[in-house]
Amino acid sequence: MRETFLPFAKPSIAQDGIDEVVNCIKSGWLTIGPKTIAFEQVFKDFTTSPYCIGVNSATAGLHLALMALGIGKGDEVITTPMTFASTVNTIILAGATPVLADIDRRTLNIVPANIEAKITPKTKAIMPVHFAGRPCDMKAIKEIAKKHNLIIIEDAAHALGAKYQGERIGKTEGKNAVVFSFHPTKNITTGEGGMVCLSDEAAAEAVYIMRQNGMSKGAWNRYAAKGKTHYDISLLGLKYNMLDIQAAIGISQMKQLDYFNKRRTEIVAKYMDAFKDTKGLILPAPVNKGDLHSWHIFTPLIDTEVLNITRDEFMKLMGEQNIGTALHYQAIPTFSYYQKAFGWNVKDYPEAEYVGEHIVSLPLFPAMTEQDVEDVINTTKQILKEHLK
Ligand SMILES: Cc1ncc(COP(=O)(O)O)c(C=O)c1O
C-alpha cells in the first residue's frame, strides 16, 4: 500500500504564477482590472474568438451566455443527462426549461439523433458538454442547429486545449458561445474561474455588463486614474466577474497548457496500454481521427457483469489503498430536485443511467510521477483480479 494518499487531481502552479499573485496583491488592485484584460487577450489569441470574457466560474459563464443570448422564459434548451449540475442549473436559473437527450456510453457524449428527437417549437438552444475533453460530434450538432435555427452553447468546462476535426474548441461563430472552467481539477486553474467565448458583439457587450451587476462601467473604469465615477444600470446582472488575482494565476497556467495536456495524454496512454486486457474495466473509446482529446479526467467503467463488487465498493477499496478516485457523474435525473421539478425518471435515459452507476475517475494530473501512475495501475489490477466472479 502507498504510504501517502494520492488524490484524483491536483493543480500545478508555477513560480511565475505565484509571483504574479503576490505582485497583484502588493499592487493594491485585486479585483477585475489589467490582469483580467491581459488573460482575456491570451484567450482571444488562443481561441481566435473575438470576445473572451473572464468570469468567476464556468457556472457564472454558462448563466451569462444564456442570458446574453436571450434564452429565458418559455424556451427549451437541450442538454445531456451526463454532466455536472451547473449545466442544467444555469438553464433553469435563466428561466428556461432543460430537456435531456441521452448519451452514448462509449463516448459519454450527447447523441445528435437524440437531440433531434427532443426538438419542439419551444427549443431555442443546444448545450452539448465535451465530456472529459472528448469533442462532441459538432458537425452533426451544427447541422441540427442550422436546420432548426438554434443557438449552440458549448459547455467546454473539460475541453481546454481539445480540438474537433483540427479546429480548437473555443472558436465561435455567429451567435454561438463556448464556456471554459478553471476549477482546480480542470486542465488549467485560476482557483475558481471561467471564460465565455463569443463572436456576437451584442451578446459579448451584454456579458461584459451583466458580469458586474449590469453596470455600464466596471470598477476599473470607475476607480482607476482616468475613470469616471457615474454609471448606468443598463441590464439586469450579477456579480460574476473574474478577479485580477485569478487572472494572474491563469496567465501563468496558459503558458503551461500545452505541457499539461501532453502529460495528461501520456498518462492516459499508459493506463490504456496497461489495462487493455484487464477484466472488469471498460476503457474509454478510441479518440476519433482528427480530434484532440484534452483528458481532463480518465473515466473507465467498472464492469459489474464480471465482478462481484459495485463501482462504489471499488472506489472504497482504492481509498483503503491510499488512492483517491472520484465520481463524474451521477446521472442528472437521479437527483431529487430535478425529479420533483420536471418529473424526470432516470429509466428514460438508459445510457446515462448505466454510466452513472459504473463510471469512475482514476487519478490524472500533470504532476503525477511514474511511481504514482504505476501505483494506480497495480492497485486497480489487484482489486479487480481479487473480485472477479
Ligand atoms: C461539465 C461541467 N460544466 C460546468 C461546470 C462548472 O464549472 P465551475 O466549477 O467552474 O463553475 C463543471 C465543473 O465541474 C463541469 O464539469
Side-chain angles (χ1 to χ4, degrees):
M1 184 173 104
R2 281 177 62 94
E3 279 184 8
T4 55
F5 181 70
L6 178 69
F8 100 92
K10 189 170 150 192
S12 299
I13 300 180
Q15 191 57 46
D16 71 325
I18 296 167
D19 293 343
E20 279 305 308
V21 170
V22 173
N23 289 342
C24 182
I25 292 168
K26 285 185 177 164
S27 81
W29 194 273
L30 310 186
T31 187
I32 188 166
K35 288 207 188 320
T36 303
I37 294 167
F39 185 45
E40 290 172 343
Q41 187 59 50
V42 171
F43 259 79
K44 287 182 206 174
D45 296 340
F46 183 73
T47 61
T48 72
S49 273
Y51 305 99
C52 293
I53 306 162
V55 287
N56 56 19
S57 68
T59 306
L62 292 168
H63 193 195
L64 288 173
L66 285 155
M67 292 194 296
L69 290 162
I71 295 158
K73 202 160 183 278
D75 297 331
E76 290 178 356
V77 179
I78 300 177
T79 191
T80 165
M82 185 41 58
T83 185
F84 184 56
S86 69
T87 318
V88 175
N89 291 353
T90 53
I91 297 169
I92 302 166
L93 288 166
T97 303
V99 173
L100 304 179
D102 206 3
I103 56 160
D104 179 334
R105 71 174 70 178
R106 292 171 309 117
T107 64
L108 311 173
N109 279 337
I110 196 164
V111 173
N114 296 342
I115 297 176
E116 194 140 32
K118 293 290 178 96
I119 289 176
T120 73
K122 289 183 180 173
T123 309
K124 188 90 179 271
I126 306 168
M127 207 188 266
V129 174
H130 304 295
F131 193 97
R134 180 191 300 275
C136 289
D137 182 352
M138 292 310 295
K139 182 166 180 274
I141 293 174
K142 282 181 184 173
E143 275 166 14
I144 294 169
K146 197 166 168 209
K147 189 166 140 197
H148 299 275
N149 194 24
L150 307 175
I151 290 166
I152 302 172
I153 300 175
E154 289 168 60
D155 180 338
H158 302 181
L160 186 61
K163 288 185 180 170
Y164 172 74
Q165 294 301 296
E167 194 163 277
R168 200 177 283 302
I169 300 291
K171 185 171 184 280
T172 50
E173 57 193 353
K175 283 197 179 295
N176 298 338
V178 180
V179 179
F180 294 104
S181 168
F182 312 132
H183 175 269
T185 62
K186 298 296 192 296
N187 295 65
I188 70 155
T189 189
T190 58
E192 297 276 1
M195 189 69 71
V196 184
C197 304
L198 287 159
S199 285
D200 186 78
E201 191 182 348
E205 185 63 20
V207 172
Y208 281 121
I209 291 172
M210 289 193 296
R211 75 174 165 177
Q212 288 190 272
N213 274 308
M215 291 191 293
S216 57
K217 286 194 206 104
W220 182 240
N221 312 97
R222 286 182 288 125
Y223 307 144
K226 291 187 181 146
K228 296 216 170 64
T229 50
H230 287 63
Y231 56 85
D232 182 29
I233 299 291
S234 53
L235 291 168
L236 187 60
L238 291 131
K239 182 68 177 174
Y240 278 169
N241 61 275
M242 177 167 269
L243 306 178
D244 267 16
I245 298 174
Q246 294 169 303
I249 308 171
I251 292 166
S252 158
Q253 290 272 290
M254 279 303 277
K255 291 184 206 154
Q256 289 184 284
L257 175 65
D258 196 38
Y259 160 71
F260 285 161
N261 282 5
K262 280 194 179 126
R263 179 71 186 135
R264 285 175 179 278
T265 306
E266 206 173 86
I267 295 167
V268 168
K270 288 192 171 150
Y271 283 159
M272 296 292 270
D273 186 53
F275 294 134
K276 64 180 185 296
D277 298 318
T278 304
K279 286 196 178 68
L281 211 56
I282 302 168
L283 295 176
V287 180
N288 280 345
K289 205 162 170 273
D291 287 357
L292 187 63
H293 198 307
S294 58
W295 293 113
H296 154 53
I297 40 180
F298 179 70
T299 55
L301 306 175
I302 297 297
D303 188 359
T304 50
E305 287 277 297
V306 302
L307 298 170
N308 58 22
I309 47 169
T310 62
R311 182 270 321 275
D312 292 355
E313 285 162 343
F314 169 79
M315 290 174 74
K316 186 164 172 283
L317 291 167
M318 289 289 276
E320 284 167 8
Q321 296 299 316
N322 257 344
I323 297 194
T325 56
L327 171 48
H328 303 99
Y329 299 97
Q330 271 177 258
I332 289 288
T334 62
F335 294 110
S336 60
Y337 172 78
Y338 309 115
Q339 289 173 350
K340 275 187 227 133
F342 304 106
W344 286 340
N345 182 341
V346 75
K347 298 275 169 239
D348 295 328
Y349 310 92
E351 294 285 289
E353 181 187 26
Y354 176 85
V355 169
E357 285 172 2
H358 296 84
I359 200 163
V360 64
S361 295
L362 296 183
L364 179 60
F365 55 93
M368 279 178 82
T369 64
E370 294 311 303
Q371 186 62 52
D372 293 336
V373 176
E374 232 176 84
D375 288 347
V376 175
I377 292 169
N378 293 339
T379 309
T380 302
K381 281 187 171 179
Q382 186 64 28
I383 291 172
L384 294 175
K385 201 169 129 200
E386 281 169 9
H387 293 90
L388 285 171
K389 270 183 188 162

